[in-house]
Amino acid sequence: MGNFLPPSLQAAVPTIMQLSYLVAMVLFILGIKKLSSPDTARKGNQMASLGMLLGVVITLLNKGILTFEFIIAGIVVGGVIGIVAARKVAMTAMPEMVALFNGFGGGASALVAWGSLVMAANPAMLGNQVTVTIGISVFIGSITFTGSVIAYGKLQGMISGNPITFPGQHIFNLLITIAGIAFIGLLTASPSSALFLGILFGLSLLLGILMVIPIGGADMPVVISLLNSMSGLAASATGFVINNNLLIISGALVGAAGFILTTIMCKSMNRKLTNVLFGAFGGEGAAAPEASADRNVNQTSADDVAIQTSYSDKVAIIPGYGLAVAQAQHVLKEVADKLEEKGVEVMYGIHPVAGRMPGHMNVLLAEADVPYDQLYDMDEINREMPSTDVVLIIGANDVVNPAAKTQPDSPIYGMPVINVEEAQRTIIFKRSLSPGFSGIDNELFYADDNQMFFGDAKDSLTKLADELKEL
Amino acid sequence: MSGIIFNLFVFVLASFVGFEMISKVPTTLHTPLMSGANAISGITIIGALSVAGQTDSVTAQYIGFAALVFATINVVGGFAVTDRMLEMFKKKEDK
């Protein structure tokens, strides 16, 4: 498109492009900054998308771009798929969606690096610095691509959520990683070799699969965050290839974001990253020992819960993923509304791993019109616990298990939990006494101040809402 | 300073900026943050455009086309789904 401009303007195009990329970078940074408050977050996202639009439009001025058939076709196809996917996806399926988008981003970066190598008249003339970054970009991008596709398959239930392992897996993965790095070196030495490039692609794609298959469904929040980070790093590596600062900077920002979220998720699950990646832990529905049936629990019913909560000053709700599985967010909101009408203060305490990706539960509750100022994070809700009358625990188990603080031999010992036992009374909504996916018994079930409300979360909450209506 | 070294400086500095900015994002917004950041990582679309629009190699054009489809899904889908999520976040008074 640049070629259609008058010659006097053509000379200025490279400068205009670079300055526009600078503006786009500022829009990205301000956009992310605005994402730090729910009031401004939507605007922040719009600013970032504006930055992206500017970057795309200004790139079309590049004098190397001579044909538009592929560009128009690519944008139309990708745009339609993207819009439809974004509109249709259910909020519960957000982790899968983000995983898949990560994969596409990583895959695109690897393809751009490959394309840059192919379009070079003489790859040997590219120079070591460019070829080595092509290799790195292919490596990271391809791992991100297949890793994300596997993560998507696991979250969708197309691939078993249980860890898939085989003997010697770690050594095998390590060898493939080393081989991958070696082939980056070989490709740098002989950039025209289609064989080396092909092997590098093969090894990286395989490594992505092998890295994610041994990771259990419960650890997926960590994996998605990590893949998010890698998709950023892949973009950054591609920035080195085409020598573009906007790519390098944006990729680095995303890399940092993903890394921070990975760390947060690991901390909240009390796991080390190496342990998540190599531990093969946390399959869904792992064989759980039956809870000791001979111990006494207090049972309660809808009318009793209705009376207890409506005569409280402060009620805290601790939702877990079981709530979302039962699709009970909207009924829960109805219950909360009824309580607020009766002058009860209602707050929601969200544990970082309550959903299937960081912040997932907050989105699910926001979808049910729960105002965000009622959503408290773990530290905030823990400060409120001693002054709370009733805690309703719905579809959550491990995140409120006091064993994390009291039993050094428990697998979840050291994991940060919500201190529900500090409240006056707890009511657990649960199907049965069986422990959660981690197979760990919960002392809280048998506590004097605790009552069990057995049944499906949605049914129980519907009954509770009806009882509250009649009060 | 040669190209790759200069680029490394840019990369490391940007990473620090990223760490500083993102550690301030509250947990409530972590999902939109991730999907928004995800859309930004689709910036690789700029590279895809250059590869798809050049005329030196037809093979590279096809590769560029595939890259462009992937990157566009990432960018358009990522920003759209983030907007859809953030639209739902409402304060109590707004009702």
Side-chain angles (χ1 to χ4, degrees):
Chain A
M1 202 182 276
N3 297 15
F4 308 118
L5 294 171
S8 54
L9 272 177
Q10 273 194 29
V13 162
T15 315
I16 295 172
M17 281 178 69
Q18 290 304 323
L19 289 176
S20 306
Y21 286 155
L22 185 68
V23 174
M25 179 202 78
V26 171
L27 286 169
F28 285 164
I29 294 184
L30 289 178
I32 296 180
K33 207 169 149 62
K34 282 192 185 292
L35 270 174
S36 59
S37 156
D39 291 326
T40 56
R42 197 169 178 209
K43 207 167 171 203
N45 184 55
Q46 286 160 356
M47 282 176 82
S49 49
L50 191 69
M52 187 65 75
L53 184 67
L54 177 67
V56 167
V57 170
I58 216 72
T59 302
L60 297 177
L61 287 179
N62 187 337
K63 63 176 173 10
I65 295 183
L66 298 167
T67 164
F68 288 89
E69 290 94 333
F70 283 99
I71 290 181
I72 293 166
I75 287 184
V76 169
V77 173
V80 169
I81 298 175
I83 285 279
V84 171
R87 288 263 166 84
K88 295 263 156 146
V89 63
M91 286 299 150
T92 38
M94 198 52 69
E96 292 96 296
M97 181 95 292
V98 172
L100 206 56
F101 284 167
N102 276 334
F104 287 152
S109 292
L111 287 169
V112 170
W114 179 21
S116 306
L117 191 62
V118 172
M119 71 194 235
N122 181 2
M125 294 294 285
L126 284 174
N128 288 349
Q129 295 188 352
V130 173
T131 9
V132 77
T133 49
I134 287 178
I136 295 172
S137 184
V138 166
F139 188 59
I140 305 178
S142 305
I143 296 175
T144 312
F145 178 66
T146 46
S148 300
V149 170
I150 299 290
Y152 171 82
K154 286 204 172 212
L155 287 162
Q156 276 274 321
M158 296 187 305
I159 305 170
S160 164
N162 290 321
I164 299 168
T165 52
F166 55 86
Q169 195 164 22
H170 299 332
I171 309 243
F172 190 64
N173 287 1
L174 185 69
L175 287 176
I176 291 187
T177 311
I178 293 170
I181 294 168
F183 273 93
I184 294 175
L186 288 169
L187 184 69
T188 310
S190 41
S192 315
S193 166
L195 179 69
F196 290 162
L197 181 71
I199 295 177
L200 178 59
F201 258 111
L203 288 170
S204 327
L205 293 168
L206 180 65
L207 189 57
I209 298 172
L210 292 174
M211 256 175 69
V212 179
I213 52 163
I215 300 174
D219 281 338
M220 280 301 142
V222 179
V223 177
I224 299 170
S225 312
L226 192 66
L227 289 166
N228 188 231
S229 182
M230 286 181 60
S231 75
L233 293 180
S236 218
T238 305
F240 278 83
V241 174
I242 61 171
N243 201 13
N244 183 316
N245 277 330
L246 182 58
L247 261 78
I248 298 178
I249 292 167
S250 322
L253 294 176
V254 179
F259 188 76
I260 288 181
L261 293 172
T262 310
T263 320
I264 292 176
M265 293 321 275
C266 281
K267 263 192 201 143
S268 332
M269 296 169 95
N270 193 32
R271 307 279 306 283
K272 283 209 175 72
L273 182 58
T274 45
N275 186 248
V276 172
L277 291 178
F278 307 116
F281 168 95
E284 276 165 314
E290 264 315 299
S292 28
D294 52 339
R295 296 179 67 182
N296 280 330
V297 296
N298 305 315
Q299 278 200 42
T300 190
S301 56
D303 53 335
D304 193 34
V305 178
I307 291 166
Q308 291 183 55
T309 47
S310 53
Y311 289 100
S312 302
D313 291 325
K314 198 151 122 186
V315 170
I317 298 167
I318 314 295
Y321 197 65
L323 177 81
V325 172
Q327 287 293 319
Q329 306 94 295
H330 293 273
V331 201
L332 176 62
K333 167 76 164 92
E334 215 178 295
V335 168
D337 283 346
K338 294 271 169 355
L339 287 173
E340 288 191 300
E341 277 167 28
K342 296 177 196 296
V344 182
E345 188 189 349
V346 179
M347 46 184 62
Y348 297 79
I350 320 276
H351 191 277
V353 294
R356 304 189 88 182
M357 70 184 282
H360 191 194
M361 184 53 70
N362 304 70
V363 172
L364 294 173
L365 290 174
E367 191 191 14
D369 290 325
V370 174
Y372 64 76
D373 32 4
Q374 284 183 354
L375 304 178
Y376 288 65
D377 70 23
M378 185 167 52
D379 293 337
E380 290 167 342
I381 201 75
N382 274 341
R383 279 198 289 276
E384 303 287 336
M385 276 301 135
S387 60
T388 302
D389 301 299
V390 179
V391 182
L392 304 177
I393 300 157
I394 306 161
N397 184 2
D398 290 339
V399 299
V400 296
N401 194 340
K405 290 170 289 187
T406 53
Q407 289 175 23
D409 56 335
S410 166
I412 59 165
Y413 183 72
M415 173 172 135
V417 289
I418 298 175
N419 304 324
V420 289
E421 70 282 357
E422 286 177 10
Q424 292 281 319
R425 186 171 302 143
T426 53
I427 299 170
I428 299 177
F429 290 58
K430 222 174 169 308
R431 277 179 187 280
S432 69
L433 282 178
S434 75
F437 70 79
S438 59
I440 303 155
D441 203 4
N442 194 338
E443 278 300 312
L444 195 64
F445 297 168
Y446 316 103
D448 291 338
D449 299 335
N450 180 61
Q451 297 167 7
M452 302 299 294
F453 185 1
F454 289 117
D456 171 73
K458 194 171 186 177
D459 290 346
S460 303
L461 284 167
T462 312
K463 281 184 210 145
L464 177 56
D466 291 343
E467 291 292 340
L468 283 169
K469 244 177 259 174
E470 282 165 27
L471 271 179
Chain B
M1 229 174 342
S2 69
I4 197 166
I5 301 294
F6 178 76
N7 288 345
L8 270 176
F9 271 86
V10 172
F11 173 75
V12 172
L13 280 175
S15 303
F16 275 102
V17 172
F19 275 116
E20 283 303 313
M21 279 190 337
I22 286 134
S23 42
K24 293 192 185 83
V25 177
T27 47
T28 305
L29 290 172
H30 275 170
T31 295
L33 168 72
M34 197 187 271
S35 74
N38 182 227
I40 292 177
S41 77
I43 186 67
T44 201
I45 191 171
I46 287 180
L49 287 170
S50 305
V51 180
Q54 52 79 40
T55 47
D56 296 334
S57 155
V58 181
T59 319
Q61 275 186 335
Y62 282 107
I63 299 169
F65 171 74
L68 191 55
V69 172
F70 274 14
T72 311
I73 295 175
N74 189 195
V75 167
V76 174
F79 281 125
V81 86
T82 309
D83 190 64
R84 202 180 131 203
M85 278 191 271
L86 290 172
E87 194 185 359
M88 302 184 313
F89 278 87
K90 294 204 174 73
K91 247 198 169 126
K92 208 170 177 185
E93 293 83 59
D94 292 351
K95 277 199 282 189

